[in-house]
Amino acid sequence: ATRLFGHIDVLVNNAGRSQRSAAEDTPAIVDSQIMQINYNSVVHLTKAVLPSMIERKSGHIVNTSSVAGECGAKLILSARNLQELERVRSGCAGGEKNTKVLRMDVLEVEIIASKVQEATRLFGQIDVLVNNAGRSQRSAAEDTPAIVDSQIMQINYNSVVHLTKAVLPSMIERKSGHIVNTSSVAG
């Protein structure tokens, strides 16, 4: 990447793998793969770009996994499923003090602004917004119901716009903040 662009301004560590089976039922190879993907790859990528960022005194690293808490980051995990959020939080190194959960469904456009205000109250400000919600469909276009098409646009596009517009004013006011958008090459 540095050969293509000269330097890296923002590194987004977004790799991750989870395992839904009970610990005693999970093969050792899967545990090893989870550690490699969720932790080692983040550490190695960070170590690879950090020297040039330090030299330039510029750059940002965003970890969208539970590893970020080990670096002292304060995380707000958001999704529809509160039980799943709590499960993910329990694996975060920052613990309950530095990792908060905020149930949010990006299809509920009318409450996005209030959810951003609620998130801001948790830690005082939002420094980095990672727009990572997404939906895909596996059926052929002619077989996909119109409601699915609408939900895909709402989740993959409109929610990004609404969340970004909700956090942007405070970032502009502070002259600080970053917005990271993730998507698939298919979407």
Side-chain angles (χ1 to χ4, degrees), residues 4-164:
L4 290 172
F5 302 108
H7 63 271
I8 296 171
D9 292 317
V10 179
L11 169 66
V12 179
N13 289 313
N14 191 37
R17 177 176 178 182
S18 63
Q19 183 61 29
R20 304 245 187 260
S21 63
E24 63 271 10
D25 297 331
T26 303
I29 187 69
V30 173
D31 289 334
S32 177
Q33 290 170 345
I34 289 171
M35 188 64 164
Q36 179 62 38
I37 294 167
N38 294 3
Y39 182 76
N40 294 342
S41 66
V42 170
V43 170
H44 293 299
L45 283 169
T46 300
K47 284 183 175 182
V49 300
L50 198 54
S52 92
M53 288 181 173
I54 290 171
E55 183 180 311
R56 289 182 294 112
K57 296 182 181 172
S58 175
H60 301 278
I61 298 172
V62 178
N63 293 308
T64 61
S65 72
S66 59
V67 171
E70 290 186 22
C71 303
K74 293 179 177 167
L75 303 173
I76 300 172
L77 306 171
S78 294
R80 293 173 299 185
N81 186 325
L82 194 56
Q83 184 178 354
E84 184 66 10
L85 287 171
E86 291 294 348
R87 185 194 67 75
V88 171
R89 175 168 61 176
S90 71
C92 291
E96 285 190 33
K97 179 182 177 197
N98 288 329
T99 307
K100 307 293 184 191
V101 298
L102 180 63
R103 191 209 165 279
M104 181 168 68
D105 184 344
V106 295
L107 286 173
E108 299 170 352
V109 177
E110 65 282 353
I111 65 164
I112 286 178
S114 66
K115 289 294 185 175
V116 167
Q117 290 173 350
E118 190 177 338
T120 302
R121 285 191 295 274
L122 291 172
F123 290 124
Q125 66 188 37
I126 296 172
D127 294 315
V128 179
L129 168 66
V130 179
N131 287 310
N132 196 41
R135 176 171 181 181
S136 65
Q137 56 84 23
R138 305 273 191 272
S139 60
E142 65 270 13
D143 298 332
T144 304
I147 187 69
V148 173
D149 295 331
S150 294
Q151 288 175 344
I152 289 170
M153 286 303 293
Q154 177 59 35
I155 294 168
N156 297 5
Y157 176 75
N158 294 340
S159 70
V160 171
V161 171
H162 293 298
L163 281 163
T164 300

